[in-house]
Each structure stands twice: as structure tokens, then as C-alpha cells.
Amino acid sequence: RRADVDAFAAQVFNCYVAARIRAGHFEDDLRGDVQTRLGVPGGREARPVATGPSLGGGHEGPAAASPSGIFEAEALAPVGSAAAALMDARRGGRRAGGLHRADLR
């Protein structure tokens, strides 16, 4: 069962990242984004990146009425209310949603 929950959580996160890529917001900051600082070994200094929905940690997502919150709700609509129930039940967290292109070589 735990593997099923983890697989579904990964699918939810991947749907969100894919929607950001399709909309051209992968490296953009949307007003209301919850961000973290991220760097890669040998890369440049850590820089802010948007986070996406994940399990655990108890971190809140973007405000529902913010551009980021609206985008996230629309991006997760295809996975339905099961995603929201899972995130609520597991105290949904956030995880980094990408890397900066300059750090990929």
C-alpha cells in the first residue's frame, strides 16, 4: 500500500511540473509561489525555485486566490479530488519543482 501511495504522490507532483513546463512557467516565478533555495553540486550558488505538491513536511501551498494557487488548482484538476484528499490526509508538503538551466551541463 505504501508503494501505491508513493507512486500516486509522484504522479501528482509530475502532473504539476509537466503543467508548468507546458505553460512556459518552469523557470518563471508566479506571484504566490512557495519557493525553496536549491543548488546542485558543482553548480552555481543556490537560487530560489518554485516548489510543487508533495507528501509530508506539513508545508502549506500557495494562497488559493494567488496566480500560483489558481495555476496549481487547474494543473491538478486532471488527477481529481483524490489528490486533494491524499495531500490533506498526509499533511501535504512541498518539494523543489526544478533546476535552473544554467546548472545543467
Side-chain angles (χ1 to χ4, degrees), residues 16-31 33 49-50 67-68 71-72 74 97-98 101:
Y16 173 76
V17 172
R20 276 194 85 117
I21 291 169
R22 281 192 306 273
H25 296 308
F26 185 66
E27 293 187 66
D28 297 343
D29 295 330
L30 295 174
R31 193 166 41 87
D33 272 345
V49 295
S68 179
F71 180 85
E72 186 168 309
E74 291 173 355
R101 260 184 229 166

Side-chain angles (χ1 to χ4, degrees), residues 23-94:
H25 296 308
F26 185 66
E27 293 187 66
D28 297 343
D29 295 330
L30 295 174
R31 193 166 41 87
D33 272 345
V34 177
Q35 296 187 331
T36 190
R37 295 190 65 73
L38 183 69
V40 295
R44 299 183 177 166
E45 71 281 351
R47 291 172 291 204
V49 295
T51 62
S54 185
L55 294 178
H59 301 286
E60 293 185 23
S66 71
S68 179
I70 294 167
F71 180 85
E72 186 168 309
E74 291 173 355
L76 297 182
V79 293
S81 59
L86 178 64
M87 295 306 158
D88 287 345
R90 298 299 303 267
R91 293 178 7 126
R94 310 293 295 172

